[in-house]
Amino acid sequence: MDSRSFVGFEGWVEIMTETYQTLPTRQTNAPHPVKTVAKEPFNLQSVIWAILQNLGTLALLAIAFPFNLAIVLGSLFWSWFRRSSPTLITAEQPKNILIAGGRMTKALQLARSFHAAGHRVILIDTEKFWHSGNQYSNTVGAFYTVPDPAKDLQGYVDTLRAIARQEKIDLFIPVAIFAVLYYDGMTEHPLADYCEVCHFDAETIQMLDDKFAFAEQARSLSLTVPKTYRMTSPEQVLNFDFSNEKRKYILKSIPYDAKHRLDLTKLPCETPEATASFVNRLPISEAKPWILQEFIPGQEYCTHSTVRDGRSTLYCCCESSAFQVNYQQVDKPEIAAWIERFLSAVPGYGQASFDLIQAEDGTVYAIECNPRTHSAITMFYNHPGVAAAYLDPQAPSEPLRPLTSSKPTYWLYHELWRLNEVRSLKQLQRWINTIWQGKEAIFRVDDPLPFLMVHHWQIPLQLLDSLRKFKRWIRIDFNIGELIE
C-alpha cells in the first residue's frame, strides 16, 4: 500500500519525529557495503511510514487470499477431475535444464515450456529467495538456493557446480542478473566445463551490459543510437554544455539500479540550481558510472532474442514503457532488421533483450541491451517450440515467434492495484478489456500453485522481513517476485 495514502497522519508524525529525534540510531546489517557515517537522528517518521506501508499491504493481500485460494483449489479439483490417466510427454533425448532466477515469472515460463517438451527442470535462486513460490510448480523437478555471488563468489561457484554434477545438468539458462554477470577475475562461466551454457562470453556480456559500450558497438555497425556520453562524477554532468543540443537528455546508471531506473528526469531542468540539486542526489562515481543519453521522443519497444552464432532462434517484440508489465506481440520489421544486423556481429550462444525507441519519423534507436531473458517471453506460454529453440544446435532460417493465437500477458495483482488509478468509465472499460482479452502470466489451470504461493507466501514473507527491519520499499514487482527498495 502506498504510504502516501496515509496523509492524515503526516502532521502527527512530524511532531512525534521532532520529539524523539534525539533517540540513538538503531543498528542494522546492510545487505551491501556502505560508507561509515556519523549516527543520524532516529527517524520516527520513516519508521511509522514503513510500519503502515507493510502492514497495509499485508492486509490487502489477506483480503485477496481467500479468493486466490478458492481459484487455486477449484483448479486443482478440475485438473484432477479431468485427468482420467496421466499423460506424460517424453522427449527423444530428455535433458536436465538448470534455470537461475527461480523467483521470476520468466523462469517459471521457461520451466513450463521445457517441461511441456519432456525435459526435467531445476530452478535455483539466491538464499534470500528461499521462499520462491515457483518451486511449487508441477513443472519444476527440484529447487536449490545458492550463495549470492556478490557476497560469496567462491561459495556460489562451488554450490552451482555441485548442483550441476548432482543433477547431471545439460543446459544452464541464467534469467536473474546475479547469474548473468561475470564477476571480477572471472574469464569464463563457472559451468563452462560442466554443461552447455546459454550465455555469451565475458567480453560480449561486458559490451552488452555496459550501456555506453553497447552504444559505441551499435554506432560502429552504422546503426542508429541516441547520443550517449559516459559520466563518472556529478561535476561532469553539470559541466556538460546543453546549449547547442536540440533535445533533452536523461541520466541512467550503467550498473543495474532498481531504485533509479524509472527516473527519467529530463536535463537540463528549468534552472541550473534545479539541475544541480537533481544530479547531486545521484550516486555517480568512477566505480558506478552513468550515461548521459539523448532523449528521443517516440514509441518505446522491448524485445527478447535467444541467439546462436549471430542469428536469433527465438524472437518477440512488444510496446513498452519504463514500468510496464503488459506484453503483446507486434510486428515491426524495421526493429527486427536493426536487431538482426546487430546480432550478426555477436558470437556464441546466449540471450539479448533490447530496449528501443521508434521516433516520429520512423527511425529506430536502440537505447540499451540486457544480456538475459526478458519477461516478454511470457508471450510464448502456448508455443510448443520454445525448448527446441534453445536446444537445437542449428539456428533456423527464421526465429520462433509467439503464435498468432497468443493473448497479451498481464499480472493480475498489478492490474488490481491499477484500479486505484481508474478515473473514468473509459479507463474502467480499458482495464476490463485487459483482463478479458489477456492471459494472466503466472496462473495456469493445470499448474495453479505458483499463483497462490508467489502472491501469498513469497511476497508476504518479504513484507514481514521489511516490517521487522522497519524498511520501506518503492513498489512490489509481482513479475520478478520481489520488493523494489
Side-chain angles (χ1 to χ4, degrees):
M1 182 174 292
D2 195 327
S3 60
R4 291 172 296 181
S5 302
F6 298 97
V7 292
F9 290 97
E10 185 172 357
W12 175 78
V13 171
E14 289 179 354
I15 292 172
M16 293 299 291
T17 302
E18 293 174 2
T19 303
Y20 289 96
Q21 61 184 195
T22 58
L23 291 175
T25 304
R26 183 177 59 87
Q27 300 297 312
T28 61
N29 295 321
H32 299 289
V34 296
K35 295 180 180 178
T36 302
V37 296
K39 288 184 178 180
E40 297 180 358
F42 180 79
N43 191 338
L44 181 62
Q45 181 176 357
S46 179
V47 168
I48 292 176
W49 283 157
I51 292 173
L52 294 175
Q53 183 187 43
N54 287 290
L55 284 179
T57 307
L58 284 166
L60 288 175
L61 289 175
I63 294 171
F65 174 72
F67 299 97
N68 186 307
L69 182 63
I71 292 171
V72 170
L73 290 177
S75 299
L76 290 171
F77 176 77
W78 179 251
S79 298
W80 172 82
F81 179 76
R82 291 185 61 193
R83 189 182 303 158
S84 56
S85 60
T87 303
L88 298 177
I89 298 176
T90 304
E92 291 184 7
Q93 295 181 322
K95 304 288 187 182
N96 293 319
I97 314 298
L98 183 62
I99 301 175
R103 66 187 179 275
M104 300 179 171
T105 310
K106 48 191 172 182
L108 174 64
Q109 181 53 58
L110 285 174
R112 287 169 169 171
S113 294
F114 279 102
H115 178 267
H119 305 287
R120 184 170 182 267
V121 178
I122 297 92
L123 293 184
I124 64 168
D125 214 321
T126 56
E127 293 164 347
K128 176 182 177 181
F129 297 101
W130 61 269
H131 42 50
S132 168
N134 293 330
Q135 65 182 293
Y136 301 99
S137 168
N138 57 32
T139 66
V140 174
F143 175 80
Y144 295 89
T145 60
V146 295
D148 186 342
K151 301 176 182 178
D152 181 8
L153 180 57
Q154 191 57 52
Y156 166 72
V157 170
D158 292 343
T159 305
L160 191 64
R161 288 174 173 172
I163 294 170
R165 285 193 298 267
Q166 179 176 329
E167 297 290 350
K168 298 180 174 57
I169 298 301
D170 298 293
L171 173 64
F172 175 69
I173 304 175
V175 169
I177 193 169
F178 79 85
V180 169
L181 299 177
Y182 284 90
Y183 295 85
D184 291 342
M186 292 177 63
T187 57
E188 64 177 10
H189 195 275
L191 294 184
D193 295 331
Y194 291 77
C195 63
E196 185 174 30
V197 178
C198 182
H199 203 43
F200 301 116
D201 60 40
E203 183 178 354
T204 302
I205 291 295
Q206 174 62 29
M207 179 272 293
L208 295 175
D209 198 50
D210 186 312
K211 298 175 179 64
F212 179 73
F214 166 72
E216 292 296 292
Q217 171 69 4
R219 193 172 287 112
S220 73
L221 296 171
S222 300
L223 292 168
T224 47
V225 289
K227 296 178 185 177
T228 305
Y229 304 93
R230 191 174 189 269
M231 298 288 158
T232 57
S233 70
E235 290 74 22
Q236 276 186 288
V237 181
L238 297 176
N239 292 333
F240 186 84
D241 185 7
F242 292 99
S243 60
N244 296 322
E245 299 297 327
K246 296 180 180 179
R247 293 189 173 112
K248 293 274 192 175
Y249 278 74
I250 57 175
L251 281 165
K252 295 193 292 186
S253 175
I254 291 179
Y256 180 76
D257 187 327
K259 180 178 180 181
H260 295 99
R261 65 183 291 267
L262 301 183
D263 190 339
L264 301 179
T265 299
K266 299 176 183 62
L267 301 178
C269 300
E270 293 185 1
T271 66
E273 292 77 16
T275 300
S277 176
F278 171 72
V279 172
N280 285 324
R281 292 199 306 266
L282 301 176
I284 305 174
S285 66
E286 191 73 44
K288 292 185 177 180
W290 287 50
I291 59 168
L292 183 66
Q293 189 174 72
E294 181 184 25
F295 180 80
I296 307 293
Q299 175 60 54
E300 187 175 348
Y301 294 89
C302 60
T303 71
H304 168 90
S305 295
T306 302
V307 188
R308 194 181 285 272
D309 299 325
R311 297 177 63 181
S312 293
T313 63
L314 181 148
Y315 169 80
C316 60
C317 174
C318 53
E319 292 186 2
S320 183
S321 64
F323 183 58
Q324 182 173 325
V325 282
N326 301 84
Y327 299 107
Q328 182 174 10
Q329 174 71 7
V330 295
D331 183 23
K332 303 294 293 185
E334 56 275 32
I335 290 178
W338 195 106
I339 293 173
E340 182 180 0
R341 173 75 181 93
F342 183 90
L343 291 178
S344 66
V346 176
Y349 173 42
Q351 301 174 104
S353 299
F354 293 86
D355 290 332
L356 311 98
I357 284 183
Q358 187 167 35
E360 295 173 356
D361 64 0
T363 304
V364 173
Y365 296 84
I367 306 169
E368 61 183 69
C369 177
N370 296 305
R372 55 186 181 271
T373 318
H374 197 287
S375 297
I377 203 168
T378 54
M379 293 189 295
F380 288 91
Y381 67 90
N382 61 344
H383 204 304
V386 173
Y390 275 87
L391 293 170
D392 194 335
Q394 300 297 323
S397 57
E398 289 292 329
L400 198 75
R401 285 180 166 85
L403 297 174
T404 56
S405 60
S406 173
K407 295 181 179 181
T409 53
Y410 66 88
W411 281 256
L412 180 60
Y413 279 45
H414 280 303
E415 298 303 325
L416 290 174
W417 178 251
R418 285 175 173 170
L419 275 174
N420 75 77
E421 301 171 1
V422 172
R423 297 293 182 271
S424 67
L425 185 61
K426 185 176 182 180
Q427 290 179 332
L428 179 60
Q429 184 178 12
R430 189 182 303 120
W431 183 90
I432 293 172
N433 287 339
T434 297
I435 305 299
W436 185 256
Q437 298 174 4
K439 161 73 172 65
E440 214 289 330
I442 300 177
F443 179 74
R444 212 171 74 177
V445 172
D446 61 348
D447 186 28
L449 282 180
F451 184 69
L452 175 68
M453 301 304 289
V454 168
H455 298 109
H456 298 286
W457 171 253
Q458 180 175 329
I459 296 299
L461 286 177
Q462 293 179 58
L463 289 169
L464 288 171
D465 188 58
S466 290
L467 180 62
R468 180 177 64 86
K469 298 175 181 177
F470 301 117
K471 290 178 64 176
R472 296 175 63 184
W473 36 268
I474 301 171
R475 66 181 185 276
I476 299 176
D477 193 333
F478 291 103
N479 172 17
I480 63 174
E482 61 182 290
L483 310 185
I484 306 302
E485 299 174 349

